[in-house]
Amino acid sequence: MVERSDGEEQGGPGEQRSSPAHPPFGKKQLPSIPKNAVPITKAASPASSTESANGTHASYGPFYLEYSLLAEFTLVIKQRLPGIYVQPSYRSTLMWFGVIFIRHGLYQDGVFKFTVYIPDNFPDGDCPRVIFDTPVFHPLVDSVSGELDVRRAFTKWRRNHNHIWQVLMYARTIFYKINTMDPLNPEAVVLYDKDFQLFKSKVVDSVKLCNSHLFDQPKIDDPFAISFSPWNPAVHEEAKDKMFAYKRLHSDPLLTAPHNQRWAEDYNKGPLVSGLSWVKPGSTQPFSKEDIPLQT
Amino acid sequence: MEVMSWLSRLNPRGPGTRTGRHAAPTSPCTADPETCLMVFENHWRQVSRVLKQRESSVGGYADDLTAVRNHTDQMLCLLAEERPAGGDIDSPVGPILKMVVAENILDELVQWHVRRGLDPDSQLELLKLFEMLIGQSHQPLLLHSAVLQPLLNLLGACVDPQLGSPPALESSLVLLLNQVCVCMAKETAVLELIFRCGLVQQGPTNLLIFSLLVPFIHRDGSLGQQARDALLLVMATSASNHSVARHIAENSYFCPVLATGLSALYSSLPRKIEVRGDDWHALRREDWMAVSSLVLFMNSLEFCNAVVQVAHPLVRCQLLDYLHNGFLVPVMGPALHKSSVDEMIASTAYLDLFLRSITETSLLKTFLRFILLHRHDNDTILDTLLTRISSNSRLCMVSLSLFKTLLSLNCEDLMLQLVLRYLLPCTHVMLSQRRAVRETDLYGKSADKFLSLIPECCRITPAPSSERDDEPAFWGKGKPVSDTFMDNSPTSESPVHPRPSTPSRLALFIRQQSSGGQAIPPSSGSENAPSSPRGSVSSPLSPDSPVHQLPDTSEGETGYLEYLRDARKGIELCSWACRDWSAPYDGENPSPNSAPPPPPPPTSHPSLNMVQEHFSIMDRPQQRGCLESESQRLSPVPALTETSTVPCDSRGPESVERLIEELLERAPSEPLTGDSKCQGISIEAFHQELRELEERVRERRVLSRSSEESSREYRTAPTPSLTDEDCLPVEIEQRSSETKPESYATGVFSPARPLGPPLAQPYTGPFITVLFSKLESMMQNSLYVNILLTGVVFQLACYPQPLLRSFLLNTNMVFQPSVKSLIQVLGSVKNRIEAFAATHEDFPAMLRKARRFLVARGKLDWSDSPIGVPTLRRSDSLIKSRKPSLGDLILRHTNSPTRARHAAQLALAHVRDGGQSLHSALFRGGAAGGASGLEKQAEALRVKNAVYCAVIFSEFLKELAALAQEHSVALPFPPSQGAEE
């Protein structure tokens, strides 16, 4: 990818730019279909072009990309990365919004918002890019664009081996384990090596700066962009209580996942028989479980 | 007479109608309590005079009786209308009741009646009086033994507990008992009191109220219903009373009567189900509502279900035991093993209906335990039921339907026995592949593979004349779909939508479909879109996403999107229901090494002996067709019979006789399976069939001799493997690492070949085997069989357990050479369809017509209320979850109420009847009469099945592709709280 990331952040969503073969994200997204337009089913999108060479079922190509990304996202959820939250954009599944909470170390208390850009020939293209909303002062983060040097960890993106959650994990790791090789931000490295105290204070400043922009409107206008708002008990208290209540009961964050809650709501009401099982754990014999203590 | 009219108004009308009676202007009752008491005392004085006068005399005079009755009526009416005393909190008893208790008035009255001998007329009136009293009283009368005791005495006098009650009294008696039970439910103390009174009076063996009701358990009509309601109230009330429960369990006949009553009712069910449509495969509510014996049975079964739900654990356990040992084992078991096809069909359909009707988990468990563990003639019920899927007749459809029900239970024990235990050892995959069991299809490779199997010849548009594009798939075509897209586009998104709406998936489709040409900037997307994302992290994947809110397209075409939605729903439902399973079944837990070896493939299917070939009209004609050799080789079913009839041949000619008898019996009356019905049965054809049948049985006897020597050892499942390696001479088989392509031309079935691969041969179990073999013969299956069959496989593929999922849907897995994979099976079907299409130049036209007919047929029911398959109280949603793929659009017809069915049949009448079978309207070449006509018909039938198969097959592949994709994005559900504790 050669495009500069800041370019797309400035462009409004309605702006149509003449772009090279691979236009930056945010540009080609979301043309709403006029009411009577017949969808073009011979999908000419770049996503399917990789698939379409061989057969007629290539028209399912869009589904493959979409599902690949959804599958990646599912993996992220399953990984339960500490302190990392991501959310695909409303406009494109190729763009994910994220935020990292740093809980200790040099960057403690840092809350860094970032955007992940996934190439549209995923998983066969380059590695995804990670761009911090506010350029964090860090050897591996470009001080102007805010782009994280992802490629050093993923020289060649290998489908089936590399996953987006690894990129996110990497984006978190850099704040705990500083690597000064081949920096994107040479100044940071110099300070890190020569004047660690100054480096530290710069980091503190940077963290402060980032956090001071926390409540800013999201840089990219998208309904699913992550936005922060000051604590407002009327709005947040209930949600927080709910989360903590769940958490006390279960350590499993999947329980709080919306899909689970929705199902719990829908199906715990009815008499639907769910999860019939009389198999004793560890056994593979049917009806091996002792009778459940009878309920009254 | 005044009194009589009063009484007649009391005639039992059921509890529901009597509420209004309180307002009835009964003369003195509305007066103040003191006046009432005075009136009451007055009546009582007169009555007691009579009672005392005639104390010594026996019999008494009619005058006396009339007088006593009159006064009693008035008194009890006053008592009933009396309100509890307001002031006194400790004993809020009204003055009349106080007096009744103090002077034991009711007891004296009843004693008097009993002494002078109760004639039926008096009995009836007393019962009614008490019923009125208890039903309408404003005070908890039964809490006073001065009321309860005389009531029990009266009951004891009316009814001989051994002989039951006189028929004339039945309705009043049951109504009274019902009222008592209602009171009991309101005042639980009453139960205790009754119980104690019973102990004093009748000895420890009698809870009179209860035992009087038991004989009415299985009664039909409102009487039975009242009795069951009353009993249920007793059950519910006694649920927390251990001693009463023990009494019921130990000293009453309640449970045995209930269970054995079911047996009796079952035996009166029709042995043969009169089938109307060729697509009939399950008993729906409107099917059985018309059959009184079945209604009766279902009422009692429902009652059992209710008792299990409310009763004390002691009672419940006892009832379940009795149901297992007194109904399922002695009655259901043999019924399912009846030798006539009709009876098998009926009993299978009954079992299916029962399973769908039960809502109580423990009752379901009893049934499942019976199905899974009980052995009848050495085979478990499950095994027996399994084998029937391979039959040709309607039995196959009914069996498939039963398995659909079973699969929808999401029961671990069942799935373990059915499939998982065979996959647990992981011997079906190459050692190096074991880790891949857990992998999901991240990049849609498997989906791609499935879609690539859609035969080239099926990639035609429904209406090529009007459209130029060679869009292969159904999805994304036409206006409705685009409208659908629009509805979910950000533009129409309501900004005040309460939930975070997540149209990202759809947005992508829109984008990608339009990005070719137009690049229209979002006009309003940004302004109307929700201002802040309120969803939490995973909401974009949440199934709330608009894909789930797609309105159903009005066009019959179904889109891939809908398949995705179906798949997602199916998977979610299934993983939700499986969340409390004991293990993930992911190839590591349970450990492949600890798993006990699954049972080996059966050596024969004794239960199949007679079933197989009764109606092989569908199969045989093919042998005469142009693909003769192929179809013979390809249709595994006859082959299966060939091997499996071995044991029965020892019976020699008699079995032939029996077969013929059975056939003759059936032939005139029974509508055959769909397809054979279409062609009608000529006597000639029938004779021919008989001749062939005889011939074959004879042949087999000869063959069996030779094979019997070499058999008696173990062999692979005969069914599916017949297509390739298995059919080859054994030398080839031994080089099993060499994968055999589908070489149908080679290899002749040799019954004498040495049987059985070595023991270690991986075996994926009889269920997979029979399903795959049926899939392999898709071309020969009737349309309805294929619809049901693909539905069952779909449901199976919804299961999230990696072992099962990877086996069915991971097309990249490398299996052991002897293990047949789904993709292999489908590949062979694809080849056959293509071979068929190549030999029929009008195939595209036929395909289009078939499609159009299917869509039209589905549409007829499209508007119908989604009542779903036979009314399921529990799993409505389960069943509905398998929703319209094209297959279901078609099937919907079969699920819909009779009205729709008729409409559909009417609509298709012109193609079905009048000497024109469906195919002849569809496809060129009419059916001529005579012997040559028969052959033509057979050929036409074969063509018809093949063309329909091509349609279903293509849609099925899309379903599977959608499942593969959805599995890769599915999130697991954590176990529910209950399971953790």
Side-chain angles (χ1 to χ4, degrees), chain A residues 31 33 40-41 57 59-60 62 64 66-67 70 73 90-91 163 224-225 258 262-263 275-278 284 287 291, chain B residues 365 412-413 416 442 448 473 475-476 486 490 501 503 505 508 511-513 520 533 538 541 543-544 572 577 596 966:
Chain A
I33 292 187
I40 293 152
T41 42
H57 56 281
S59 51
Y60 295 90
Y64 298 150
E66 184 87 349
Y67 271 78
L70 284 173
F73 187 75
Y90 177 90
R91 314 230 187 280
H163 296 294
F224 289 167
R262 187 177 55 84
W263 277 82
L276 288 183
S277 168
W278 296 281
T284 53
F287 304 108
D291 268 333
Chain B
K365 179 183 178 184
E412 180 175 8
D413 309 61
L416 196 56
L442 276 181
D448 196 50
W475 70 275
M486 286 311 298
S501 47
R505 291 170 57 179
L508 187 82
R511 194 184 328 120
Q512 294 190 332
Q513 283 173 352
I520 294 139
S538 59
L541 285 181
D544 293 337
E572 254 187 11
E966 285 294 345

Side-chain angles (χ1 to χ4, degrees), chain A residues 98-112:
Chain A
V99 59
I100 296 181
F101 294 87
I102 303 298
R103 287 158 181 169
H104 51 84
L106 285 172
Y107 290 84
Q108 184 167 353
D109 297 332
V111 181
F112 305 125

Side-chain angles (χ1 to χ4, degrees), chain B residues 189-258:
Chain B
V190 172
L191 175 72
E192 190 69 28
L193 209 59
I194 291 179
F195 191 55
R196 264 192 272 120
C197 285
L199 288 182
V200 174
Q201 285 287 306
Q202 275 93 22
T205 55
N206 221 333
L207 179 50
L208 186 63
I209 304 278
F210 185 76
S211 41
L212 286 180
L213 280 167
V214 170
F216 296 96
I217 288 181
H218 299 292
R219 243 359 131 71
D220 56 353
S222 62
L223 188 67
Q225 199 54 52
Q226 280 166 2
R228 287 190 291 269
D229 289 349
L231 280 168
L232 213 50
L233 287 171
V234 180
M235 287 300 148
T237 316
S238 66
S240 50
N241 188 324
H242 189 76
S243 54
V244 174
R246 252 187 61 187
H247 173 80
I248 293 173
E250 286 170 10
N251 299 324
S252 87
Y253 292 114
F254 178 68
C255 294
V257 165
L258 197 45

